[in-house]
PDB file of all heavy atoms in Angstrom:
ATOM      1  N   ALA U1510      -1.109   1.619  -3.708  1.00 90.00           N
ATOM      2  CA  ALA U1510      -1.296   0.462  -2.834  1.00 90.00           C
ATOM      3  C   ALA U1510      -0.433  -0.704  -3.317  1.00 90.00           C
ATOM      4  O   ALA U1510       0.233  -1.372  -2.515  1.00 90.00           O
ATOM      5  CB  ALA U1510      -2.761   0.051  -2.778  1.00 90.00           C
ATOM      6  N   VAL U1511      -0.426  -0.915  -4.628  1.00 90.00           N
ATOM      7  CA  VAL U1511       0.348  -2.029  -5.171  1.00 90.00           C
ATOM      8  C   VAL U1511       1.845  -1.757  -5.008  1.00 90.00           C
ATOM      9  O   VAL U1511       2.613  -2.637  -4.618  1.00 90.00           O
ATOM     10  CB  VAL U1511      -0.011  -2.258  -6.656  1.00 90.00           C
ATOM     11  CG1 VAL U1511       1.021  -3.135  -7.333  1.00 90.00           C
ATOM     12  CG2 VAL U1511      -1.384  -2.910  -6.753  1.00 90.00           C
ATOM     13  N   PHE U1512       2.227  -0.518  -5.252  1.00 90.00           N
ATOM     14  CA  PHE U1512       3.621  -0.120  -5.018  1.00 90.00           C
ATOM     15  C   PHE U1512       3.971  -0.364  -3.552  1.00 90.00           C
ATOM     16  O   PHE U1512       5.008  -0.958  -3.239  1.00 90.00           O
ATOM     17  CB  PHE U1512       3.790   1.359  -5.386  1.00 90.00           C
ATOM     18  CG  PHE U1512       5.020   2.012  -4.820  1.00 90.00           C
ATOM     19  CD1 PHE U1512       6.259   1.799  -5.399  1.00 90.00           C
ATOM     20  CD2 PHE U1512       4.932   2.845  -3.719  1.00 90.00           C
ATOM     21  CE1 PHE U1512       7.392   2.397  -4.876  1.00 90.00           C
ATOM     22  CE2 PHE U1512       6.056   3.450  -3.190  1.00 90.00           C
ATOM     23  CZ  PHE U1512       7.291   3.227  -3.764  1.00 90.00           C
ATOM     24  N   GLY U1513       3.074   0.081  -2.664  1.00 91.00           N
ATOM     25  CA  GLY U1513       3.274  -0.157  -1.239  1.00 91.00           C
ATOM     26  C   GLY U1513       3.390  -1.640  -0.945  1.00 91.00           C
ATOM     27  O   GLY U1513       4.223  -2.062  -0.155  1.00 91.00           O
ATOM     28  N   GLY U1514       2.543  -2.413  -1.618  1.00 91.00           N
ATOM     29  CA  GLY U1514       2.568  -3.856  -1.422  1.00 91.00           C
ATOM     30  C   GLY U1514       3.913  -4.446  -1.820  1.00 91.00           C
ATOM     31  O   GLY U1514       4.504  -5.226  -1.077  1.00 91.00           O
ATOM     32  N   LEU U1515       4.415  -4.019  -2.977  1.00 92.00           N
ATOM     33  CA  LEU U1515       5.696  -4.556  -3.467  1.00 92.00           C
ATOM     34  C   LEU U1515       6.841  -4.163  -2.544  1.00 92.00           C
ATOM     35  O   LEU U1515       7.655  -5.003  -2.155  1.00 92.00           O
ATOM     36  CB  LEU U1515       5.961  -4.063  -4.895  1.00 92.00           C
ATOM     37  CG  LEU U1515       5.063  -4.683  -5.971  1.00 92.00           C
ATOM     38  CD1 LEU U1515       5.341  -4.042  -7.324  1.00 92.00           C
ATOM     39  CD2 LEU U1515       5.279  -6.182  -6.050  1.00 92.00           C
ATOM     40  N   VAL U1516       6.870  -2.876  -2.183  1.00 93.00           N
ATOM     41  CA  VAL U1516       7.933  -2.426  -1.278  1.00 93.00           C
ATOM     42  C   VAL U1516       7.812  -3.160   0.048  1.00 93.00           C
ATOM     43  O   VAL U1516       8.812  -3.591   0.634  1.00 93.00           O
ATOM     44  CB  VAL U1516       7.862  -0.898  -1.067  1.00 93.00           C
ATOM     45  CG1 VAL U1516       8.867  -0.453  -0.023  1.00 93.00           C
ATOM     46  CG2 VAL U1516       8.119  -0.171  -2.372  1.00 93.00           C
ATOM     47  N   GLY U1517       6.560  -3.321   0.512  1.00 92.00           N
ATOM     48  CA  GLY U1517       6.318  -4.025   1.770  1.00 92.00           C
ATOM     49  C   GLY U1517       6.807  -5.456   1.720  1.00 92.00           C
ATOM     50  O   GLY U1517       7.417  -5.943   2.670  1.00 92.00           O
TER      51      GLY U1517
END
Side-chain angles (χ1 to χ4, degrees):
Chain U
V1511 165
F1512 162 78
L1515 289 176
V1516 174

